[in-house]
Amino acid sequence: MSEQFEDAYYDDEIIEQAPKKNKFLSILLSLTLAFTGGLIFKTTLAANVSLGSGAKEFGQGVQVHASCAGSTPLTLKTQTSFANASGAAGKFQLTAISLSNIPTTCYGKAIEIKAYADTATAPLALFNSTVDKVTVYNGNGTFWVTNASSGYDIVTNSTSSFTVTFSSPVLTSGSTAKFTVESMVNTATLNCLQAGNCAVGSTNGPGGGIVFYYSASPFTSVGSTCNTNCHYLEMAPYGWNGGGDDPNIPLSQNTTTYLNTTGGGIGDGLSNTVSWANIAGGGNASNSSAILALQYAGTDNSAGQWFVPSIGELDKLLDVYINQSIGNLRYNYWYASSTEYSATHLWIQLSQIPGKPTYQSGKADPRIVRLVRAF
């Protein structure tokens, strides 16, 4: 059990010990804050706090008593912005919180941040009118939140630091006296990217797929959220379209238009698939694999990120299936790629040993499809 401390009100007073909290936590950081009207502060991540005559502001605080941090001091910084109000006085609101100097002993923990008034025991609302805490998951030096679309988001600054930003802040500087930062056992189910342990064969990819490719050097996947900083490919799970097997469907009914989707390398699959899906005369038919790929949302609402692999990506996928028995694919079946051979044909590959031979198939010919995603 850790101890709670209050920082001296930025007036050089001695820090006094407060009563112990009988709560399951391993980090506790308190920061005394207030605001005196008439002072104008820029919207900035404060690095210094004015002491002076006792006027205080959102700023930074440091405290060392923590279980997972041991004797390592944690640093909390806040960012504010001034909000004008029609017919009333404006106010400074908390728009972001940064926590830094988090040691590796806190890997795998959940970190919870709350704010309090000077004497109140109930936490103050931080954002979205009533939400009074943020919970951040430390995935071995990569930090995540589980409800980033619900009022706050996070940026990993380094393996020991993160910044949480509020899209609808409500906390004002004048109401706030301290922050608490608590760590606890992580009970959330993290995907391998969030947990920081993705590897070829991981079955908990960000979209619920199986990781089948890793590159230490980043590759580009145009249209993917990772953009120019992609390192992994995951394949959709067996029966991804809701059936009992991978579907056997055509990539396009358009067998006359040359799309120039000849990209066959790692990172080419999504741009190829988007081109297939947008072509009139059959490419955009509802039963084409290109359309179904872009509609697939995985387990994380990632529609638009999944695609029919390029021939190079398909080759890597079949490699891990054949050599490592990963993916539960059909053995000795032709799988479709999104790489075009001609106006009438595309490249396909056979899931067998030896050689994984490639061949050309008519665009409208039904072929087995396993979707892929870059991250």
Side-chain angles (χ1 to χ4, degrees):
M1 181 171 64
S2 62
E3 298 176 318
Q4 177 174 348
F5 286 74
E6 288 191 2
D7 209 10
Y9 281 77
Y10 300 129
D11 57 5
D12 296 329
E13 294 178 1
I14 303 222
I15 295 176
E16 297 180 355
Q17 183 172 336
K20 295 182 180 180
K21 287 182 69 178
N22 184 18
K23 182 178 180 181
F24 182 69
L25 56 88
S26 55
I27 299 177
L28 188 51
L29 168 71
S30 297
L31 170 64
T32 56
L33 299 168
F35 174 73
T36 300
L39 299 179
I40 302 299
F41 305 119
K42 295 180 179 179
T43 302
T44 180
L45 193 63
N48 299 293
V49 178
S50 299
L51 301 177
S53 62
K56 299 167 287 290
E57 62 179 273
F58 279 127
Q60 66 178 359
V62 179
Q63 188 52 267
V64 301
H65 294 270
S67 297
C68 78
S71 61
T72 303
L74 303 174
T75 300
L76 179 75
K77 296 182 180 181
T78 57
Q79 179 174 323
T80 62
S81 62
F82 187 78
N84 290 313
S86 178
K91 55 190 175 182
F92 282 89
Q93 291 181 317
L94 177 69
T95 55
I97 297 173
S98 294
L99 191 66
S100 60
N101 210 34
I102 304 168
T104 57
T105 50
C106 293
Y107 280 5
K109 301 292 185 180
I111 299 171
E112 190 172 271
I113 302 175
K114 297 178 182 177
Y116 292 85
D118 195 15
T119 58
T121 58
L124 300 170
L126 293 170
F127 64 98
N128 283 7
S129 299
T130 60
V131 182
D132 60 8
K133 65 181 178 181
V134 293
T135 302
V136 176
Y137 300 98
N138 186 349
N140 294 341
T142 303
F143 300 93
W144 301 88
V145 295
T146 57
N147 57 341
S149 62
S150 302
Y152 70 107
D153 205 350
I154 193 167
V155 172
T156 297
N157 303 318
S158 69
T159 58
S160 62
S161 173
F162 65 82
T163 298
V164 172
T165 302
F166 305 109
S167 58
S168 54
V170 297
L171 185 66
T172 59
S173 58
S175 65
T176 311
K178 63 183 178 182
F179 288 102
T180 61
V181 179
E182 304 170 344
S183 77
M184 57 203 72
V185 174
N186 173 38
T187 58
T189 300
L190 304 182
N191 62 54
C192 70
L193 187 60
Q194 294 170 333
N197 57 8
C198 289
V200 172
S202 297
T203 57
N204 60 333
I210 304 168
V211 179
F212 69 92
Y213 177 78
Y214 168 71
S215 172
S217 301
F219 63 89
T220 297
S221 176
V222 176
S224 295
T225 54
C226 54
N227 195 16
T228 60
N229 192 36
C230 304
H231 290 271
Y232 297 92
L233 292 172
E234 66 175 318
M235 69 175 88
Y238 174 76
W240 57 268
N241 68 326
D245 205 341
D246 289 335
N248 188 20
I249 48 181
L251 187 62
S252 174
Q253 299 292 344
N254 186 324
T255 60
T256 60
T257 303
Y258 183 64
L259 303 179
N260 197 30
T261 59
T262 56
I266 302 297
D268 288 328
L270 182 55
S271 59
N272 286 351
T273 301
V274 170
S275 295
W276 283 102
N278 289 334
I279 189 64
N284 57 1
S286 60
N287 65 339
S288 71
S289 59
I291 291 292
L292 294 178
L294 296 176
Q295 291 175 343
Y296 181 68
T299 58
D300 62 344
N301 298 316
S302 51
Q305 292 293 299
W306 295 85
F307 51 88
V308 180
S310 70
I311 191 64
E313 293 163 341
L314 178 61
D315 183 71
K316 298 296 184 183
L317 189 156
L318 295 181
D319 265 345
V320 300
Y321 163 65
I322 292 171
N323 297 324
Q324 302 181 46
S325 299
I326 292 173
N328 196 21
L329 277 72
R330 296 193 199 182
Y331 182 72
N332 203 29
Y333 276 81
W334 290 99
Y335 276 77
S337 82
S338 58
T339 302
E340 193 175 34
Y341 173 76
S342 67
T344 57
H345 287 71
L346 56 87
W347 287 104
I348 57 176
Q349 193 166 26
L350 190 63
S351 59
Q352 73 165 23
I353 301 173
K356 307 186 307 299
T358 56
Y359 196 67
Q360 303 88 44
S361 174
K363 291 180 177 179
D365 294 343
R367 296 297 176 190
I368 308 299
V369 178
R370 179 66 68 93
L371 302 187
V372 167
R373 179 191 182 188
F375 66 96

